[in-house]
Amino acid sequence: MVLGPTASGKSDLAVRLAKTFNGEVVSADSRQVYRGMDIGTGTITKKEMQRIPHHLLSVASPKKIFDVAQWKKKADAAIAGIIRRGKLPIVCGGTGLYIKALIENIAYPDVPPDWKLRVALEKKTTKQLFALLKKLDPARAQAIDQHNPRRLIRAIEIVKNTGKAVPEKNIKPIYDTLLLGVKKSDAELKKRIHARLLARMKKGMVKEAKKLHEGGLSWKRMEQLGLEYKYLALFLQKKMDKRAMTETLETKIGQYAKRQMTWFRAMHTIVWIASEKEAENKTKKFLDGRIRKRNPCYAKIA
């Protein structure tokens, strides 16, 4: 599994490992699952994939909430298919909640959308939503991104409709996992975030957001999708100018990267790597160890 903060170079590394070890990539990004949001989320392009199959990209409508339970179900199915083809599943992403759900095999209750509740919750501020979740489910509140309203709403929705804390860990982990963390200095990551944002602006990020709205995505929903789309929505509604949008967005992305690293540092099994060569060596050693066990039941994730 390849993980790390936004703009750290995870996708490129995952492709290199897939080419070296005959693998396919499974995306663990909570916004790249949505269709029509490729530029804003920095989704890997067909050219950058270098013919390596990628899974769980653009699989859901941005008009609807796609939660961790739905992602895990699809991820498990994708991984099973990759293994059947005799290839190596390489999970790549920066959404800590998704990664945790997969490696710990967390069972989430299957709760359908409660539209009446969602309408009521959407009237609350992000701070109010977090306070409510903290009251209902302190453990979940401790692990969630408290700045993400759509995740807060979904977590509250599950608790309200089941009367139980979420998630419930009642299944044994099924994957033998190597967690590779992409390590960048604060200064280098800041530089990469800046360059990446400018490149996406030049590529047509504003035009993409405008197209999403013209296709029926409300400004409110776009703002709920967070980061790039929140500030693109505000800009397109003329609530802030382009310079303010770009500067604010760069700051918010940097803050998001720090939150990602806070999450990852709590995962003590991560092997932090500083180069692609180091990642290859760690992966080879890991796979060699699995082969020596001569157990065909092992599911291997790099």
Side-chain angles (χ1 to χ4, degrees), residues 1-2 11 14-15 18 23-29 32-33 44 52-57 71-83 85 88-94 98-99 102 175 300-302:
M1 182 174 289
V2 180
S11 296
V15 168
E24 297 183 16
V25 178
V26 178
S27 172
D29 188 291
Q32 290 181 7
V33 297
I44 187 170
I52 296 297
H54 280 62
H55 305 269
L56 270 63
L57 294 173
W71 178 84
K72 184 178 181 298
K73 184 177 181 180
K74 287 184 177 292
D76 283 332
I79 290 168
I82 294 169
I83 293 171
R85 290 188 288 277
L88 180 70
I90 300 174
V91 179
C92 174
Y98 284 12
I99 293 166
L102 193 65
Y175 300 120
K300 303 183 284 293
I301 304 178

Side-chain angles (χ1 to χ4, degrees), residues 108-271:
Y108 292 90
D110 186 12
V111 177
D114 184 334
W115 298 109
K116 185 176 180 180
L117 176 62
R118 286 186 183 183
V119 169
L121 292 176
E122 286 175 355
K123 295 177 182 178
K124 297 181 180 294
T125 65
T126 303
K127 188 175 181 179
Q128 289 172 329
L129 289 170
F130 180 67
L132 178 58
L133 179 61
K134 193 173 181 180
K135 181 179 179 181
L136 294 170
D137 187 352
R140 183 72 182 90
Q142 190 174 8
I144 203 169
D145 178 0
Q146 62 179 286
H147 302 283
N148 190 318
R150 60 191 174 89
R151 288 192 192 166
L152 291 168
I153 288 173
R154 180 55 178 165
I156 293 168
E157 181 178 57
I158 292 173
V159 177
K160 286 276 191 180
N161 281 276
T162 64
K164 299 177 182 178
V166 60
E168 293 180 81
K169 300 180 185 179
N170 55 10
I171 300 179
K172 184 178 180 181
I174 57 175
Y175 300 120
D176 190 7
T177 312
L178 170 64
L179 299 177
L180 294 177
V182 181
K183 188 177 182 180
K184 300 290 181 186
S185 68
D186 291 344
E188 184 179 3
L189 189 60
K190 185 176 181 180
K191 185 177 179 180
R192 290 175 68 95
I193 288 172
H194 176 76
R196 189 168 181 248
L197 177 58
L198 293 183
R200 284 185 291 166
M201 289 292 292
K202 187 176 181 180
K203 193 175 180 180
M205 191 164 69
V206 174
K207 187 177 180 180
E208 180 184 71
K210 187 176 180 180
K211 184 178 178 180
L212 283 167
H213 180 63
E214 290 173 347
L217 188 66
S218 68
W219 294 129
K220 186 173 184 178
R221 175 59 180 154
M222 197 179 293
E223 289 180 33
Q224 287 177 348
L225 288 166
L227 283 181
E228 295 85 0
Y229 294 95
K230 176 179 179 179
Y231 296 99
L232 285 166
L234 293 174
F235 167 68
L236 289 170
Q237 293 175 86
K238 303 186 185 305
K239 293 182 178 179
M240 64 191 323
D241 61 36
K242 192 170 185 178
R243 180 177 178 179
M245 175 197 71
T246 306
E247 291 177 350
T248 303
L249 187 49
E250 186 170 340
T251 298
K252 295 296 182 180
I253 293 172
Q255 292 171 347
Y256 173 61
K258 289 181 179 179
R259 293 198 299 273
Q260 287 178 296
M261 285 304 299
T262 298
W263 181 294
F264 293 139
R265 288 192 186 102
M267 300 172 67
H268 303 297
T269 55
I270 294 176
V271 177

